[in-house]
Amino acid sequence: TTQVFTFIELFIRIYFSSRKEKTTLINVHSLIVLPIGYILKKLFSSKLIYDTHELETETRGLRGNTKKVFKYLEEKIIRECDFVVVVGSEIEKWYRTTYNISRVVNVMNCPEYQKVDKKNLFREEFNIPKNKRIVLYQGGLNESRGVGLLLDAFKKNQDAPYVLMLMGYGVLANDAEESAKNYDNIYYKTAVSPEVLLDYTTSADIGVHWIDDSCLNHQYCMPNKLFEYLMAGLPVAVSNLLEMSAFVKENQVGVVINTWRPEELFTALDKIVEIDEDKLQENAVRVSKKYNWQTQGSAYIEAIKEIM
């Protein structure tokens, strides 16, 4: 039903648009609606962009016959796209080799660049001791992002010189809220608006993204929150996944959590302190000036100009 209404709405929009403009551009942001984009491209001789935000056919939850159908659709339609947008170099390589296509543009999922002044919002709101470093996870609160492991690790290490701040929403939000009530070293804050997000991000000391190695999409991921941490000047602790760990090591902006075990987290956090947090923060700010929407978006705009 949703697909039908989506098709009808887009048909009407593109019909009237095509009467005014020489060329209509259809930008599809998900594999599930790619067939609709393809049909509309043929009906109106439009340009079609497949703007995939992840490696959709290799995600954690896609299995069995559903996966086969999705892979079949993508393989059949992707060569009809005027170009494909991806969010990382490894995903770009995968699409080029798997489907033998050349029109692939890598546009990393970065926020707009802005100079962010250091804030202290978490300590002021939650009265967090000054001698404790705030380890921040922001985003979707679910198991595959390591939220359960983070909670387990901090519950077992209440005397460590770190506290955990979980900020976001998701299936584990209740667990996060309950843990915050029962443990002095765990805090929970609901998601905040994008306008003030980086003010809260920069109020932490270390950013963490501990996603699991459960699918190829995770191995190749370059999540938006990584770039948000860097924009806020935070050193990061990340999973030992192919693309993300290579980026962190190459740019010297943090450390890699080697294994999917709670005790490894504190080993990584201690390394950050030993390396020199000030230097890591300087590197984070430097990298954010290179990886932001102003620089990444230019490749997107040039690709659109070329096909239009």
Side-chain angles (χ1 to χ4, degrees):
T1 304
T2 303
Q3 288 275 34
V4 170
F5 280 112
T6 300
F7 179 81
I8 294 172
E9 179 186 1
L10 287 173
F11 182 92
I12 294 170
R13 286 175 180 268
I14 295 172
Y15 172 75
F16 285 105
S17 174
S18 65
R19 297 179 67 181
K20 298 177 183 178
E21 307 291 342
K22 291 182 179 179
T23 306
T24 302
L25 181 68
I26 302 170
N27 196 322
V28 174
H29 287 258
S30 175
L31 176 55
I32 198 168
V33 292
L34 185 58
I36 293 176
Y38 171 69
I39 294 169
L40 292 171
K41 171 186 169 74
K42 293 300 183 182
L43 286 175
F44 296 103
S45 299
S46 302
K47 301 293 185 180
L48 177 62
I49 300 173
Y50 179 29
D51 190 347
T52 176
H53 296 197
E54 56 184 344
L55 193 54
E56 284 206 47
T57 60
E58 302 295 334
T59 55
R60 187 173 188 247
L62 196 62
R63 299 184 182 90
N65 291 331
T66 304
K67 181 172 182 174
K68 291 179 182 177
V69 170
F70 272 51
K71 289 183 77 70
Y72 175 82
L73 286 174
E74 188 172 68
E75 182 179 10
K76 293 299 180 183
I77 300 175
I78 199 165
R79 294 182 183 87
E80 299 292 331
C81 298
D82 291 276
F83 70 87
V84 177
V85 181
V86 297
V87 293
S89 58
E90 291 297 330
I91 295 179
E92 179 185 354
K93 292 175 190 175
W94 189 92
Y95 272 107
R96 287 181 183 276
T97 56
T98 301
Y99 298 122
N100 192 27
I101 56 176
S102 59
R103 295 165 299 186
V104 185
V105 181
N106 181 17
V107 182
M108 290 187 172
N109 190 12
C110 305
E112 290 188 357
Y113 177 76
Q114 55 183 291
K115 186 177 182 300
V116 185
D117 295 325
K118 184 69 176 175
K119 300 289 195 306
N120 213 20
L121 301 179
F122 290 133
R123 294 190 193 278
E124 292 170 357
E125 182 175 343
F126 295 95
N127 197 28
I128 298 172
K130 292 181 179 180
N131 65 334
K132 298 284 188 177
R133 288 181 173 83
I134 300 173
V135 179
L136 172 66
Y137 170 83
Q138 64 188 35
L141 301 177
N142 57 58
E143 200 62 57
S144 68
R145 307 295 175 88
V147 174
L149 275 181
L150 285 169
L151 289 171
D152 188 35
F154 275 85
K155 288 175 183 178
K156 293 177 179 177
N157 293 271
Q158 297 181 58
D159 295 328
Y162 311 97
V163 298
L164 174 65
M165 175 63 68
L166 296 173
M167 184 170 69
Y169 55 86
V171 295
L172 294 181
N174 289 337
D175 289 358
E177 189 171 13
E178 193 64 28
S179 297
K181 292 177 181 177
N182 296 316
Y183 292 87
D184 293 337
N185 63 337
I186 298 174
Y187 298 87
Y188 169 67
K189 183 171 181 61
T190 55
V192 298
S193 68
E195 290 76 17
V196 298
L197 175 63
L198 289 181
D199 288 336
Y200 279 93
T201 308
T202 195
S203 298
D205 299 298
I206 300 170
V208 63
H209 192 46
W210 205 5
I211 193 168
D212 70 8
D213 182 13
S214 59
C215 60
L216 194 59
N217 181 53
H218 284 182
Q219 272 289 338
Y220 292 168
C221 73
M222 282 296 290
N224 177 259
K225 63 176 60 64
L226 173 62
F227 297 106
E228 290 171 346
Y229 292 152
L230 299 179
M231 189 75 69
L234 301 189
V236 296
V238 302
S239 307
N240 191 16
L241 300 174
L242 182 63
E243 180 127 2
M244 191 162 51
S245 63
F247 182 88
V248 168
K249 291 175 182 177
E250 179 183 346
N251 291 285
Q252 299 180 43
V253 290
V255 300
V256 174
I257 307 170
N258 289 319
T259 63
W260 187 248
R261 296 183 299 173
E263 55 269 25
E264 287 291 336
L265 172 66
F266 289 95
T267 300
L269 296 177
D270 290 341
K271 283 182 181 178
I272 288 178
V273 177
E274 292 168 6
I275 290 172
D276 184 349
E277 285 179 281
D278 291 338
K279 182 61 177 176
L280 290 174
Q281 288 172 1
E282 289 177 15
N283 291 345
V285 173
R286 172 181 52 79
V287 170
S288 69
K289 292 179 180 179
K290 180 180 179 181
Y291 293 96
N292 56 65
W293 180 246
Q294 285 90 328
T295 58
Q296 294 296 307
S298 60
Y300 205 151
I301 292 168
E302 289 304 313
I304 291 174
K305 284 181 179 179
E306 187 176 324
I307 67 169
M308 298 296 278

